[in-house]
Amino acid sequence: MVLVIRADLVAEIVAHARRDHPDEACGVIAGPEGSDRPERFVPMLNAARSPTFYEFDSGDLLRLYREMDARGEVPVVIYHSHTATEAHPSRTDISLASEPEAHYVLVSTRDEAEPNHAGHELRSFRIVDGVVTEEQVDVVETYMFAHTGADDVPDRDASV
Amino acid sequence: MAVTVSIPTILRTHTGGEKSVEAKGNTVGEVINDLEARHGGIAGRLVNNGSLHRFVNIYVDDEDVRFAGGLEAPVGENSTVTILPAVAGG
């Protein structure tokens, strides 16, 4: 399992998390149904306005799902921040997770965050029936080659 | 009266994969009972000790029934009932 996600979308998630700190930030990245490709960044209001909890406002949630339905989209990524703990699903996250096909992306804005090579602590998980599985995150500049295996991509030096 | 009920992904195991199903009832509670009769097991995912589960949102048309009487909320003819699990966590 792997989340392939564009760098600009990762930057949007991180910026939202930093902007809302010390409260948790949350949102989705919608993408075409069946594509597993996050495309449309949709930051959501944390109706709980809390450093330890997040919840989409119920009216916003209905509008979001109607809009995605109308566009043939699903929530490919559901993200939120942890402001004092690591970027790993909490027990509450696990018990409330209800999109078995989504990538649950967590970003930590804690002081002692352990940044990856890109300078932030961001991880992705599947949460299905209470079981959490971490997955690799591949940050790409474009999805142009995302649907082809490594063997299908022409050797860039071949024509030189 | 028959209404259309929109089913979220996580509950489609109860509806044979259907995204939307028909049900009958004049209130949200009656609609849920009718859903249970047709798609066994679904009510337990929506109702807890006689009231709506805290982290499941049910809407009649555009209104969250939590603000309209909960299980007693009226469902009109040609209404759409939408079930959406909360997107929430800690």
Side-chain angles (χ1 to χ4, degrees):
Chain A
M1 288 190 301
V2 57
L3 167 64
V4 179
I5 184 170
R6 284 199 328 251
D8 61 302
L9 295 170
V10 169
E12 293 266 30
I13 292 173
V14 171
H16 185 199
R18 288 179 178 160
R19 200 159 61 234
D20 283 12
H21 185 90
D23 286 345
E24 292 194 5
C26 55
V28 306
I29 305 177
E33 186 170 10
S35 71
D36 202 32
R37 201 171 60 237
E39 290 187 346
R40 190 166 67 87
F41 180 74
V42 188
M44 300 294 288
L45 187 74
N46 177 3
R49 287 190 180 79
S50 160
T52 57
F53 195 75
Y54 80 95
E55 182 171 10
F56 292 6
D57 171 80
S58 79
D60 292 350
L61 180 73
L62 180 64
R63 280 186 288 278
L64 170 68
Y65 273 76
R66 286 218 175 130
E67 186 180 87
M68 288 193 297
D69 268 355
R71 298 169 67 115
E73 293 172 336
V74 294
V76 178
V77 166
I78 298 174
Y79 72 87
H80 78 281
S81 62
H82 281 174
T83 59
T85 56
E86 64 173 335
H88 189 281
S90 65
R91 274 186 297 176
T92 312
D93 292 332
I94 297 163
S95 68
L96 295 181
S98 53
E99 287 289 359
E101 288 163 22
H103 302 268
Y104 282 89
V105 168
L106 283 97
V107 60
S108 177
T109 54
R110 62 185 173 154
D111 288 341
E112 64 278 22
E114 292 166 16
N116 59 17
H117 62 279
H120 42 254
E121 183 181 336
L122 179 141
R123 295 160 71 182
S124 183
F125 304 83
R126 298 292 186 144
I127 309 177
V128 182
D129 291 334
V131 177
V132 176
T133 311
E134 182 160 13
E135 59 185 2
Q136 185 183 326
V137 179
D138 279 357
V139 179
V140 297
E141 290 305 316
T142 155
Y143 296 137
M144 200 178 297
F145 298 114
H147 289 293
T148 49
D151 292 344
D152 302 327
V153 178
D155 184 343
R156 288 181 186 186
D157 293 328
S159 59
V160 175
Chain B
M1 60 190 73
V3 296
T4 302
V5 185
S6 167
I7 307 291
T9 307
I10 197 161
L11 296 182
R12 289 179 198 158
T13 50
H14 296 280
T15 60
E18 291 297 319
K19 287 182 174 182
S20 99
V21 297
E22 296 277 304
K24 288 183 176 158
N26 294 311
T27 64
V28 169
E30 289 176 12
V31 168
I32 290 173
N33 288 342
D34 190 56
L35 278 179
E36 176 67 18
R38 298 163 191 246
H39 311 285
I42 200 166
R45 309 288 297 274
L46 308 176
V47 177
N48 188 16
N49 289 328
S51 55
L52 281 180
H53 193 293
R54 160 73 179 85
F55 292 108
V56 175
N57 298 318
I58 299 184
Y59 309 84
V60 175
D61 298 323
D62 291 337
E63 184 150 38
D64 184 338
V65 303
R66 198 163 278 118
F67 309 113
L71 294 174
E72 302 301 316
V75 177
E77 197 159 2
N78 302 321
S79 290
T80 298
V81 174
T82 305
I83 303 170
L84 285 177
V87 179

